[in-house]
Amino acid sequence: MREKYDLFAEVTLQFERAADRLKLEPWIFQKLSQPEKELVVHPTIILDDGKPKTFKGIRVQHSTAKGPAKGGLRYSPDTSLSECKALAAWMTWKCAVINVPFGGGKGVVLCDPLNMSEKELKNLTWEYTLAIKDIIGPHKDILAPDMFTNDRTMAWIVEAYSHGKTQFEFAVATGKSTSCGGSFGRKNATGTGLFFVLEELSKYLNFFLEEKKVAILGFGNVGSSIAKLVHRAGCRIIAITDIHGGISREKGINPFKLQTYVDKRKEIVGFDGTKPIDNEGLISLPCDILIPAAIGGQINANNADSIKAKIILEGANGPTTQEADEILKKKEILVIPDILANAGGVAVSHLEWMQNLNQVIFSEHEVVRRMKKKMMKALRDVLATMKKHKVTMREAAYILAVKRVAKSLKLRRFHNYEEIYLKEG
Ligand code: NAD
């Protein structure tokens, strides 16, 4: 069982450090220290056995300073308001790092999705959407898939939200299927974005990917996409874990074959030619690149010292605690922070939203080209901030993001454009 810790306190600490450096005005500091809105709802559905059950759902909007809130919806028995607030805040910073005109939001429903039928999940999604419908919408707050939700869930949200309206509001959710208003390239966008950042940095650092040993936590949307891309680039994936357990193979695991296995078995355990391994075993393996792509807090004070990887590429949101970050800094391990590394998903979500609102369809090539451009610009901005402030990559990403959101707030609140531009360039 993973150790419980306060995720919102984690993200607040990261924000506070950046705010300190930027000497944020007290009102901006206070405004960004707490979410703008937290809504708790209790949707009730009839289960397949005929019994009613009431669930708890939350939607948090951390900031709308730069645009409508944007963020995923997570189904999990093991989540909380603190986690939802943290995930919403991370979305604010992530959207600002890659400069898309969105704020940060997040939703969770406390449920056990692996033990619910499709019908139960659909009814729960409908009830949750109807319960939060007043605060969401294409220009208010846009949802997306996260852990244990997917393109089907997004289609149900569009359907429920559009119920009783004169038109379908496709732009209320992104990460939809291409047959239902989705964008080409969205499914693998987060993994693709992760890979672009890793590839570019590896050139910058002369750290060639070929034959590099990789270990991955999670083999869902993000974990499986990045696994396939690093495999294609010549890396050797020596271990992968999922919620049920893990597998290791020194000679390498083929993620394409593993995908076929997982599609049938719904878990990675037992895949041909592999030995079992758990999360802690994977985290401490001698490898070059460690990719957390599952839940938050998996790299923490208890295991950070045992990490032998040279690079940690954060696919998950909040996989590394502050305490662990300090240890990794001392060990000179390069951590490519979540708010930059996994932003490819929201970059393409922005393109999907644009396509829906303008009723156009971009080719996959166009989507990937635009997303790569955004990610590369964000990477250059973060590297420049790192150099200027002599800080870690995470600290630089936060400084950049907080500065951009603060500037937006300031402009909107006081309209003293000239003064701000003269001061901040
Ligand atoms: P997913 O539900 O598709 O996959 C999650 C994976 O993590 C599964 O393989 C699951 O078995 C595994 N997992 C769950 N608990 C685990 C545990 N305790 N130990 C090891 N593995 C565990 O979810 P996803 O969309 O791939 O998201 C993964 C992470 O990436 C989350 O932190 C999410 O917030 C983040 N993220 C996702 C996207 C996206 O576009 N999907 C974008 C940015 C960030």
Side-chain angles (χ1 to χ4, degrees):
M1 185 73 190
R2 103 186 128 110
E3 196 177 308
K4 280 272 172 200
Y5 71 104
D6 188 348
L7 264 185
F8 188 62
E10 288 280 323
V11 70
T12 303
L13 258 171
Q14 287 161 352
F15 158 67
E16 284 176 358
R17 282 189 184 174
D20 256 11
R21 241 172 217 280
L22 293 166
K23 301 195 176 27
L24 277 196
E25 287 173 41
W27 75 269
I28 298 184
F29 177 80
Q30 285 207 15
K31 183 149 180 59
L32 294 172
S33 297
Q34 286 296 333
E36 284 172 13
K37 206 171 275 177
E38 299 166 21
L39 177 64
V40 178
V41 295
H42 290 100
T44 302
I45 61 162
I46 307 295
L47 299 177
D48 291 348
D49 63 7
K51 293 192 183 120
K53 182 162 178 180
T54 299
F55 296 82
K56 181 174 179 175
I58 305 169
R59 186 76 193 169
V60 172
Q61 293 166 358
H62 173 259
S63 169
T64 52
K66 284 182 74 65
K70 176 84 189 79
L73 170 63
R74 176 176 291 195
Y75 285 174
S76 166
D78 184 28
T79 184
S80 61
L81 178 61
S82 162
E83 181 167 66
C84 194
K85 282 164 67 172
L87 291 163
W90 273 315
M91 284 305 292
T92 301
W93 310 132
K94 192 184 299 185
C95 293
V97 167
I98 58 160
N99 231 344
V100 289
F102 285 143
K106 202 77 180 189
V108 297
V109 177
L110 281 91
C111 62
D112 188 3
L114 295 179
N115 289 311
M116 289 175 73
S117 70
E118 175 109 342
K119 185 175 156 209
E120 289 170 339
L121 287 169
K122 182 176 180 177
N123 289 342
L124 180 57
T125 305
W126 261 78
E127 291 301 321
Y128 171 74
T129 308
L130 294 178
I132 64 165
K133 76 173 188 324
D134 290 343
I135 67 159
I136 60 170
H139 299 285
K140 285 187 190 170
D141 185 355
I142 304 125
L143 290 88
D146 194 86
M147 282 180 60
F148 299 113
T149 55
N150 54 28
D151 53 359
R152 297 291 303 273
T153 325
M154 296 305 113
W156 297 332
I157 290 171
V158 169
E159 181 80 20
Y161 181 77
S162 306
H163 188 66
K165 291 192 166 48
T166 47
Q167 79 265 358
F168 270 115
E169 298 276 10
F170 283 116
V172 70
T174 59
K176 305 178 293 286
S177 141
T178 47
S179 348
C180 182
S183 174
F184 290 110
R186 175 60 184 90
K187 195 159 191 258
N188 296 315
T190 304
T192 309
L194 272 178
F195 183 72
F196 285 151
V197 173
L198 176 67
E199 194 184 34
E200 191 64 19
L201 267 177
S202 70
K203 284 185 213 152
Y204 181 80
L205 300 169
N206 275 333
F207 181 84
F208 299 105
L209 292 179
E210 211 148 310
E211 274 307 306
K212 290 288 184 294
K213 291 190 205 174
V214 179
I216 306 175
L217 288 154
F219 196 71
N221 176 307
V222 180
S224 66
S225 311
I226 186 67
K228 289 166 196 160
L229 292 164
V230 293
H231 175 79
R232 275 210 185 116
C235 293
R236 188 150 43 104
I237 301 171
I238 56 166
I240 306 181
T241 53
D242 72 4
I243 198 166
H244 306 287
I247 54 175
S248 72
R249 185 169 183 261
E250 189 54 31
K251 283 186 176 164
I253 299 164
N254 181 323
F256 293 94
K257 290 187 180 160
L258 179 61
Q259 185 71 67
T260 311
Y261 180 85
V262 170
D263 289 346
K264 275 194 213 133
R265 306 277 296 261
K266 308 287 172 221
E267 60 177 328
I268 60 174
V269 178
F271 181 58
D272 249 11
T274 60
K275 288 190 217 151
I277 191 166
D278 62 10
N279 286 331
E280 294 307 313
L282 179 145
I283 287 169
S284 62
L285 273 180
C287 69
D288 299 292
I289 305 165
L290 173 62
I291 308 179
I295 53 174
Q298 287 193 305
I299 300 175
N300 50 52
N302 298 330
N303 57 28
D305 215 21
S306 70
I307 294 178
K308 298 174 189 72
K310 295 169 192 75
I311 292 182
I312 298 178
L313 177 65
E314 293 188 336
N317 286 313
T320 311
T321 65
Q322 283 280 329
E323 283 176 303
D325 232 13
E326 290 303 320
I327 299 170
L328 300 172
K329 192 171 165 179
K330 283 192 192 119
K331 286 170 67 99
E332 294 186 359
I333 294 173
L334 175 68
V335 181
I336 310 176
D338 48 5
I339 60 169
L340 167 70
N342 71 28
V346 74
V348 175
S349 278
H350 174 243
L351 295 171
E352 181 175 335
W353 178 77
M354 269 172 63
Q355 292 172 79
N356 290 158
L357 293 180
N358 293 294
Q359 301 191 330
V360 292
I361 295 175
F362 295 157
S363 68
E364 180 157 1
H365 175 78
E366 181 60 11
V367 169
V368 174
R369 187 189 69 77
R370 287 181 185 231
M371 182 262 271
K372 186 171 185 181
K373 199 171 161 200
K374 275 247 170 274
M375 297 295 287
M376 293 301 99
K377 171 79 172 80
L379 177 59
R380 283 196 302 278
D381 290 348
V382 169
L383 291 176
T385 311
M386 240 176 124
K387 213 167 161 185
K388 181 173 169 196
H389 291 271
K390 298 190 175 43
V391 290
T392 63
M393 218 169 168
R394 189 188 313 281
E395 288 162 339
Y398 273 89
I399 291 171
L400 186 66
V402 173
K403 186 175 172 182
R404 285 177 174 166
V405 176
K407 190 166 174 177
S408 219
L409 268 179
K410 222 167 157 179
L411 285 165
R412 286 172 60 167
R413 181 65 80 86
F414 293 119
H415 314 290
N416 50 346
Y417 304 96
E418 281 172 31
E419 191 192 324
I420 292 159
Y421 278 117
L422 284 176
K423 267 193 198 160
E424 297 183 10

